[in-house]
Amino acid sequence: MSDTSTRHAARERVLGLLYEAELKGLTPAEVVAALPVVPDEYAGEVTVGVGENLTEIDALLVRFARNWDLDRMPALDRAILRMAAYELGHRPDVPR
């Protein structure tokens, strides 16, 4: 399996975990810790990383999301934007 398809699958997993965390009112780290099967390394790192940097990430989203309150965004959109912001800002292995 190529790195691109592996990352694609990991990102789908991250999206689901971030969405689950928000709906359940848990931190992303709590959701990952409660999983019966540990996600692959990349998915786990990105999910937990988003949670650890959520304040910074949300501040960026609020700053650049013109005419949109973060709370008004659909939860999946928020999760996608948070994941992307984390990868671009905190993962040197992700090309810009």
Side-chain angles (χ1 to χ4, degrees):
M1 188 179 294
S2 73
D3 187 47
T4 303
S5 63
T6 302
R7 287 258 170 115
H8 178 82
R11 287 179 177 123
E12 286 181 357
R13 185 70 171 131
V14 172
L15 178 60
L17 293 170
L18 293 175
Y19 183 74
E20 179 180 348
E22 184 164 340
L23 289 182
K24 291 182 175 180
L26 300 171
T27 67
E30 290 171 325
V31 170
V32 170
L35 292 172
V37 177
V38 178
D40 70 65
E41 183 179 357
Y42 188 81
E45 288 175 2
V46 172
T47 302
V48 172
V50 168
E52 290 173 346
N53 295 280
L54 193 58
T55 302
E56 172 193 341
I57 291 168
D58 282 354
L60 281 171
L61 296 180
V62 167
R63 180 176 166 203
F64 291 106
R66 296 180 187 188
N67 301 320
W68 274 97
D69 291 333
L70 201 55
D71 294 336
R72 287 187 53 228
M73 283 183 191
L76 283 175
D77 292 357
R78 245 188 332 269
I80 291 167
L81 290 169
R82 286 171 172 163
M83 177 176 53
Y86 174 77
E87 284 188 304
L88 290 171
H90 297 276
R91 296 289 307 205
D93 57 324
V94 174
R96 295 175 192 229

